[in-house]
Amino acid sequence: MTKAENEYKKGLWTEEEDKILLEYVRVHGRRHWNRISKVTCLERNGKSCRLRWMNYLCPNVKHGEFSEEEDDLIIRLHNLLGNRWSLIAGRVPGRTDNQVKNHWNTHLCKRLGITKQTRKHRVPSKSNRSDVKRTEAVPSSSTCGTLSPSSYQKGAEVQGQGSSLNGLEAQCEGGKHSDPSLLFYDQSFVLDSPHLMEFFDGFDLIM
DNA sequence: AATTGGGGCAACCGCCAGTCC
DNA sequence: GGGACTGGCGGTTGCCCCAAT
């Protein structure tokens, strides 16, 4: 018997709830989040518990302001990966995908002069979401990202195995940005090459 | 002092993929 | 094989705080 969604509490977490969640994780580990409301008095659904743990309670999570180094790393990673926040966060020690996403949207976009393109058109829908996962590297909101020459070059080397980044500059949207160092992605730059994925895995982004 | 508007961030929502039974 | 369950992801929302008026 599962609780109806509306039986679960929503909104900000209290200290008491945090304690309960921490205790659950200490005893049961980070799994079976949906069982929490059954074995504890916590009236939160599994997803909410998982999110709270991942984004706030996990001891590995770093709180506080982002350093310049982190900013730089995120910008580089975003240039390479687009809005794949979990991948980006995986390479920024102590930061979660939610933190990175928020930081990007609230600080870095402004700093880089990127106007946030709210996409009502979510990634194409069901049919080829699995494809999307890999090919989505260049979501619309990042079509105007900056790309440092060094990272561009590294990426291009790998891409050389399959498709290439040739013509990237030509795809710039009518020269919106006058800075010649700015390059643009668009949907033609895809991450569907296994080589490229390996590249990202082994890529030392701290330059 | 009270109000208001914007920024920042935590949390929710909807979707998908993998796993279990 | 297929339905239910669970976890993970990215986009979006809504609340809180604070500065400006």
Side-chain angles (χ1 to χ4, degrees):
Chain A
M1 199 45 130
T2 55
K3 288 191 178 189
E5 282 300 309
N6 58 12
E7 286 183 59
Y8 292 112
K9 190 181 165 190
K10 293 181 182 179
L12 293 180
W13 283 65
T14 65
E15 269 186 48
E16 192 57 35
E17 288 175 318
D18 282 347
K19 280 182 195 166
I20 295 169
L21 180 54
L22 277 168
E23 181 60 17
Y24 175 88
V25 173
R26 193 183 65 77
V27 174
H28 297 91
R30 286 180 286 178
R31 56 211 164 93
H32 307 312
W33 298 106
N34 271 332
R35 294 182 193 170
I36 294 181
S37 66
K38 297 184 185 96
V39 302
T40 71
C41 56
L42 196 54
E43 295 186 333
R44 296 278 186 170
N45 68 26
K47 278 188 156 188
S48 183
C49 293
R50 178 187 158 272
L51 205 67
R52 180 63 176 172
W53 168 265
M54 297 292 195
N55 289 329
Y56 191 79
L57 298 176
C58 176
N60 297 332
V61 172
K62 208 190 284 181
H63 301 284
E65 294 191 357
F66 281 66
S67 65
E68 278 298 315
E69 289 74 24
E70 287 174 318
D71 282 355
D72 188 53
L73 183 55
I74 291 167
I75 291 165
R76 288 170 189 276
L77 285 163
H78 189 269
N79 286 334
L80 286 165
L81 301 168
N83 291 6
R84 298 169 79 178
W85 304 115
S86 62
L87 276 180
I88 295 173
R91 300 192 178 283
V92 184
R95 299 298 186 180
T96 69
D97 54 353
N98 210 32
Q99 282 179 313
V100 170
K101 180 171 57 182
N102 282 334
H103 187 62
W104 175 267
N105 287 333
T106 56
H107 294 99
L108 300 181
C109 270
K110 276 184 209 163
R111 198 167 109 185
L112 298 172
I114 298 171
T115 51
K116 196 176 159 189
Q117 297 175 5
T118 314
R119 15 178 202 176
K120 289 294 177 188
H121 58 293
R122 276 183 81 123
V123 174
S125 77
K126 316 191 169 199
S127 56
N128 49 2
R129 180 73 187 257
S130 59
D131 291 333
V132 167
K133 284 243 170 192
R134 292 216 153 183
T135 58
E136 196 194 13
V138 190
S140 58
S141 64
S142 66
T143 49
C144 297
T146 59
L147 189 60
S148 71
S150 57
S151 57
Y152 166 71
Q153 206 157 14
K154 288 195 180 187
E157 282 166 20
V158 174
Q159 274 297 89
Q161 313 244 15
S163 58
S164 80
L165 292 174
N166 288 347
L168 257 187
E169 286 181 272
Q171 290 155 2
C172 297
E173 297 173 357
K176 264 187 200 167
H177 294 255
S178 54
D179 183 345
S181 70
L182 299 178
L183 296 171
F184 302 82
Y185 290 121
D186 81 352
Q187 312 292 9
S188 66
F189 176 46
V190 296
L191 289 177
D192 56 1
S193 156
H195 301 294
L196 188 56
M197 296 312 287
E198 282 173 23
F199 161 73
F200 284 131
D201 286 340
F203 190 53
D204 176 14
L205 283 141
I206 302 171
M207 297 176 246

